[in-house]
Amino acid sequence: METTAEEQLIGPLLLARGTVDRSVLLRADERRLEQAWSDPATRVLVIDNGHTLVRRQGDEVQAVLFTTAEAPPGPRYLLGVESGAAYFAVAAPLPGVSGGDGNGRVTVPLSLRDTPDGVPVPAGLRQAGGLLGDRDAGLLVYAVALEAWHATHEFCPRCGTRTMIQAGGHIRVCPQDSSQHFPRVDPAVIMLIRDPDDRCLLARGPQWPQGRLSILAGFVEPGESLEAAVAREVAEEVGITIANPRYLGSQPWPFPRSLMLGFFADATTTTLTPDADEIAEAHWFSREELVRALDSGELRLPPPVSIARRLIETWYGGELTGDW
C-alpha cells in the first residue's frame, strides 16, 4: 500500500513523538536499575490517573520532572535514557495538588495557555500532548500507557494471585505460577473515507454531543488484517463498501491502551445507512461544505493531538480550525 504525493500526512502525529531511548537492556538488570534510580541526574515524571504536572514558560509547555529524592513513593517504571540521564515514571498523587472532583480525578485547567507562567498545573495528554516538546510528549504518552496497564492487571489471569512488578515496570510476574504478563496494546484502525467526488465522510457517535464529528474507527479483531478491519468497520457502521485502503501512519492513544493505525480508503458505494447503536449521524462533506460548517460553529473537529484531525487535514490540504 503506497500513499500518493497528495496523501502525505500534514504535520506531525503529536502523540507519536519521543527522543528517549527505551533501554530494553537496562530493564533486565535490577542492579543497574537501582543504580540509575540513585543517580542524581535521573529525572522522574509523576503520573496520577493519566495526569502529570506541567508548567508554561512563555510560549512553551514543559513537563515538571523531579529528582528521585523529590519524587513521592509509588510504583516506578523505567521510561528510558537520554544523554546519560535515566527517566522514570512514578505512579502517585501529584505533588502539591489537592482536591479534585471527588472521584479520584484531578481537576485540570481548560487551557494551559491561560495558566500563570512557571506555575505547575495538572494536565493530561489531551490538554498537554500537543503543546509539549518531543521528549516530554514521548515520556508522558509512555507513562500514561504503563500506568493504565498496571492499574488493571494487578492479578494473575491464571490463578488470581497478586503479581509483582519487574523489568522496570514492563513485566508483571506471578509468584504462584511464575507466569509473566506484558503490557497490552489494542490495535485500532481509523480511516478517512473519500467518495468519487472527493468528499470526506464524517460521523458522530450516539454518546457525542450534536456537532461533534470525526472519521470512522474500530478495533482490529482476532485473526483479521488491518485492511480487512477497515472494510468491515466501514460496512458495519455506515453500510458502504470501500476499496484501496492506504496506510498513512500510526500513533499511540493510551485511553487506555490503543494504537491507532490511520488509513485513507475509497468508497465504492455512497448511500449511508448508519448503525444506530454505533453512529448517530453520518454525512459527506466537500471541502467548501466543511469550511462553512466550521465557520458557522455547527461542526467541531477532533483536536490536533488526534490522528483523526491529521487525516482530515491531509484530505483537506491544510490546517483547519474548530476543535472539540
Side-chain angles (χ1 to χ4, degrees), residues 1-5 7-8 244-248:
M1 293 179 296
E2 295 184 359
T3 61
T4 61
E7 290 178 357
Q8 299 301 313
N244 193 26
R246 284 97 68 199
Y247 171 77
L248 270 79

Side-chain angles (χ1 to χ4, degrees), residues 36-165:
W37 181 257
S38 302
D39 192 327
T42 293
R43 291 296 177 264
V44 179
L45 184 146
V46 181
I47 190 77
D48 181 10
N49 195 30
H51 296 84
T52 194
L53 290 176
V54 302
R55 63 165 64 94
R56 183 176 63 82
Q57 303 285 356
D59 293 333
E60 296 183 356
V61 176
Q62 303 169 344
V64 176
L65 300 176
F66 298 87
T67 66
T68 56
E70 297 168 331
R76 62 188 193 228
Y77 320 129
L78 175 69
L79 301 179
V81 175
E82 182 180 61
S83 302
Y87 292 87
F88 285 82
V90 166
L94 300 181
V97 174
S98 60
D101 65 357
N103 295 308
R105 295 185 292 263
V106 298
T107 302
V108 300
L110 292 177
S111 173
L112 294 177
R113 299 190 186 280
D114 298 330
T115 58
D117 198 62
V119 176
V121 295
L125 278 173
R126 288 185 172 90
Q127 294 82 31
L131 302 175
L132 294 170
D134 290 353
R135 184 200 68 181
D136 289 356
L139 291 175
L140 183 54
V141 172
Y142 200 177
V144 168
L146 285 175
E147 182 202 29
W149 178 70
H150 282 285
T152 55
H153 290 76
E154 294 182 272
F155 299 93
C156 177
R158 293 182 176 182
C159 66
T161 301
R162 183 179 291 276
T163 53
M164 302 180 300
I165 297 174

Side-chain angles (χ1 to χ4, degrees), residues 86-237:
Y87 292 87
F88 285 82
V90 166
L94 300 181
V97 174
S98 60
D101 65 357
N103 295 308
R105 295 185 292 263
V106 298
T107 302
V108 300
L110 292 177
S111 173
L112 294 177
R113 299 190 186 280
D114 298 330
T115 58
D117 198 62
V119 176
V121 295
L125 278 173
R126 288 185 172 90
Q127 294 82 31
L131 302 175
L132 294 170
D134 290 353
R135 184 200 68 181
D136 289 356
L139 291 175
L140 183 54
V141 172
Y142 200 177
V144 168
L146 285 175
E147 182 202 29
W149 178 70
H150 282 285
T152 55
H153 290 76
E154 294 182 272
F155 299 93
C156 177
R158 293 182 176 182
C159 66
T161 301
R162 183 179 291 276
T163 53
M164 302 180 300
I165 297 174
Q166 292 187 5
H170 293 77
I171 300 175
R172 295 189 74 103
V173 177
C174 177
Q176 181 68 28
D177 62 22
S178 300
S179 59
Q180 295 182 335
H181 309 280
F182 298 85
R184 171 180 164 184
V185 176
D186 296 337
V189 289
I190 182 165
M191 41 276 179
L192 186 140
I193 308 302
R194 308 192 299 188
D195 75 357
D197 294 324
D198 200 21
R199 295 182 300 172
C200 168
L201 176 61
L202 299 179
R204 176 174 68 88
Q207 72 278 20
W208 296 352
Q210 193 75 29
R212 180 181 292 185
L213 301 183
S214 185
I215 56 179
L216 302 180
F219 287 106
V220 181
E221 295 189 346
E224 186 175 46
S225 70
L226 300 178
E227 297 84 352
V230 170
R232 175 184 54 76
E233 285 288 344
V234 173
E236 289 176 355
E237 293 189 350

